[in-house]
Amino acid sequence: MSSLKEEISKRRTFAIISHPDAGKTTLTEKLLLYGGAINLAGSVKGKRTAKHAVSDWMEIEKQRGISVTSSVLQFKYNGYCINILDTPGHEDFSEDTYRTLMAADSAVMVIDASKGVEKQTVKLFKVCVMRNIPIITFINKMDRDAKNPFDLLENIEEVLGINTYPVNWPIGSGKEFKGVFDRKTQKLLCFTANNGQKEVEKTELALDDPAFNNFVNEYQKKDLFDEIELLDGAGDEFDIDAVRSGKLTPVFFGSALTNFGVEPFLEEFLQLTTPPLPRESVGEEVDPMSDYFSAFVFKIQANMNKAHRDRIAFMRICSGKFEKNMEVFHVQGNKKMRLSQPQQIMAQEREIVDEAYAGDIIGVFDPGIFSIGDTICSPGHKVKFKGIPTFAPEHFALVRQKDTMKRKQFIKGTSQIAQEGAIQIFHEPESGMEEVIVGVVGVLQFDVLKYRLENEYNVEIIMETLPYEFIRWIVNEDIDVKSLNLASDTKIIQDLKGNNLLLFTSYWSINWALDHNEGLELREFGTD
Ligand code: G4P
């Protein structure tokens, strides 16, 4: 039996962030391959159909062949226990994607070498920065024509405002791609394409190896030397503290599809990142190695099983050990309880867990008592983790029920779905709940709302898209919102807690509001 400390030290819990199509799925698949969780790449999350295997929970997912919600995959590698948190991209991008990052200890940022930093990556990156977690970059698709590596680094530094440290350096790209030169070992890892298998034929050449000169031509060799000299002279120095506080991102070049550079990346990643670190809670920091259990809910997933109308609350364990049937204390509910049907996802299998440790994610049956951000801990411990911020929705719609007799169901449905965190609801001050303004991070959530109101609450709705794109919470508490001087396209609204907010159609009107109202303070994230 390994000790609590040993178990927790083995844990690495991270999310992969990227813009759709940069190669997140492919990289995840290759990482799982090394963990032995699957035997052949392509069998786990090989796009549309196989994504079902991982989260075939909602009817809407089946119909559309997409994954609406993010999931967690656990696998073992070289004595480590690795949890990968999936952050969905495409149109299924939602607030859950952001919240998932609150449960991660580090992030892998995948960038398409032919494109550089793209929009969705910027959004996810901002959340990582807010938490100061390490961000490790994998520049993917080097087997295709890529941008100049210096330009890629500059692009990361400029757009994201983080320093870079290339751990390896590519020689060519596309048809000319020869491999990557490791700056630490001073060896060239020769490019050999390998699409599926785990065992990749690996050729490493030292600089003084005669084979080196056969593999790269004179010009490529000269360019490599010049570029490395430039990096050594003018580039950022490697600084592990800067990496761990998210100020410097180590950069790896590779190709997930051809399985090139993935295992060296994984090995180095495990060295660069730490096991779970102490987590802030109200009044104290919680040490993961503490002998008491503590966790917080970062995601609630509705209707895994339609027949039972159940929900699953996903929680990130922050300290100690979880054991099946143990008694816990739900802080916000002020109640002792037992967590039922605790489950974990090992590759594509859902399993009931007997025990889990700080760093792990478990999903538990939720009869409707948990909210996003809630703390659960061993009885007798007064832990309360800081809440998860409410992220700014980017799409808004006016929603009302078709049949006014269904008012009660409409309010219940929208409120419950909002409580799960799938949507945010607002209303105009002094208006009732007959008509609400729904805000979502990803447009797919509108369809989810419509579908669920019809299927679970038997309410048909009319939805009218609104032109707003930006929302800001008003920080000033004593302000008379009616007296604000605002552009004509700015709307004053309130959330369910009675906080005042403003809706804008452009950055221009945000600046207008700030310029014309002295002392007005606006915030992009909502807090408890
Ligand atoms: P995502 O999860 O970030 O959205 O990206 P995903 O892994 O699904 O990859 C997007 C596309 O890019 C896929 O092609 C995938 O095969 C390809 N790809 C990923 N990594 C590499 C790489 O290192 N080199 C090259 N050349 N291509 C790569 P697709 O045609 O859209 O999908 P599929 O039909 O191959 O599944």
Side-chain angles (χ1 to χ4, degrees), residues 121-133:
T121 317
V122 179
K123 289 193 209 168
L124 293 163
F125 180 85
K126 276 193 190 167
V127 181
C128 297
V129 169
M130 190 172 94
R131 297 202 42 230
N132 298 322
I133 57 175

Side-chain angles (χ1 to χ4, degrees), residues 99-118:
R99 290 193 197 108
T100 298
L101 291 174
M102 306 307 280
D105 293 333
S106 60
V108 169
M109 175 164 74
V110 182
I111 289 177
D112 182 331
S114 67
K115 301 207 172 118
V117 178
E118 297 173 88

Side-chain angles (χ1 to χ4, degrees), residues 125-383:
F125 180 85
K126 276 193 190 167
V127 181
C128 297
V129 169
M130 190 172 94
R131 297 202 42 230
N132 298 322
I133 57 175
I135 299 161
I136 321 289
T137 305
F138 187 83
I139 298 191
N140 191 28
K141 305 196 187 181
M142 289 307 295
D143 59 311
R144 285 217 195 129
D145 288 341
K147 288 189 172 186
N148 174 299
F150 282 108
D151 291 346
L152 285 165
L153 297 187
E154 199 181 305
N155 176 238
I156 295 173
E157 302 206 346
E158 272 182 7
V159 179
L160 302 176
I162 187 170
N163 294 336
T164 55
Y165 180 87
V167 174
N168 61 28
W169 195 250
I171 302 179
S173 69
K175 287 197 178 70
E176 298 297 313
F177 186 45
K178 291 286 170 186
V180 292
F181 181 75
D182 188 303
R183 292 176 71 193
K184 192 161 66 182
T185 61
Q186 297 277 301
K187 279 185 183 159
L188 174 71
L189 179 63
C190 303
F191 174 62
T192 33
N194 182 315
N195 209 339
Q197 295 83 36
K198 177 179 170 185
E199 299 305 330
V200 186
E201 211 180 293
K202 204 161 103 179
T203 313
E204 278 184 323
L205 298 175
L207 286 177
D208 55 3
D209 190 326
F212 190 97
N213 290 331
N214 294 335
F215 196 74
V216 295
N217 67 34
E218 210 180 305
Y219 303 107
Q220 288 165 329
K221 194 171 168 183
K222 183 173 179 315
D223 282 352
L224 174 70
F225 286 171
D226 289 349
E227 289 171 1
I228 294 292
E229 197 179 312
L230 195 63
L231 286 177
D232 288 345
D236 278 285
E237 277 188 31
F238 183 75
D239 174 354
I240 190 75
D241 294 331
V243 172
R244 293 199 173 147
S245 57
K247 304 221 162 25
L248 176 74
T249 179
V251 178
F252 295 76
F253 291 84
S255 161
L257 184 69
T258 57
N259 209 0
F260 176 76
V262 176
E263 196 172 23
F265 165 76
L266 175 60
E267 276 167 11
E268 198 65 28
F269 172 84
L270 294 168
Q271 302 306 317
L272 290 165
T273 52
T274 60
L277 294 173
R279 199 145 189 133
E280 233 185 299
S281 71
V282 179
E284 57 163 339
E285 275 204 332
V286 175
D287 182 353
M289 307 288 179
S290 308
D291 54 5
Y292 62 89
F293 164 82
S294 70
F296 70 89
V297 176
F298 67 95
K299 177 176 134 173
I300 292 173
Q301 163 93 50
N303 280 351
M304 301 272 207
N305 180 345
K306 197 161 177 257
H308 296 114
R309 253 210 190 192
D310 55 359
R311 315 199 298 191
I312 296 263
F314 285 91
M315 43 188 86
R316 148 83 201 226
I317 305 180
C318 297
S319 71
K321 177 180 177 183
F322 168 81
E323 279 171 287
K324 203 168 107 186
N325 293 327
M326 77 187 216
E327 189 172 58
V328 295
F329 181 65
H330 174 213
V331 176
Q332 278 73 6
N334 196 20
K335 226 174 154 176
K336 277 191 198 167
M337 59 188 298
R338 278 175 214 283
L339 299 174
S340 44
Q341 300 172 20
Q343 23 192 298
Q344 217 168 23
I345 302 164
M346 308 282 271
Q348 70 266 59
E349 297 292 319
R350 284 169 154 271
E351 287 182 1
I352 294 288
V353 279
D354 292 325
E355 51 182 48
Y357 295 85
D360 290 342
I361 312 292
I362 52 170
V364 303
F365 173 76
D366 171 21
I369 53 170
F370 294 123
S371 292
I372 304 271
D374 281 4
T375 300
I376 290 89
C377 60
S378 301
H381 290 270
K382 290 264 172 291
V383 183

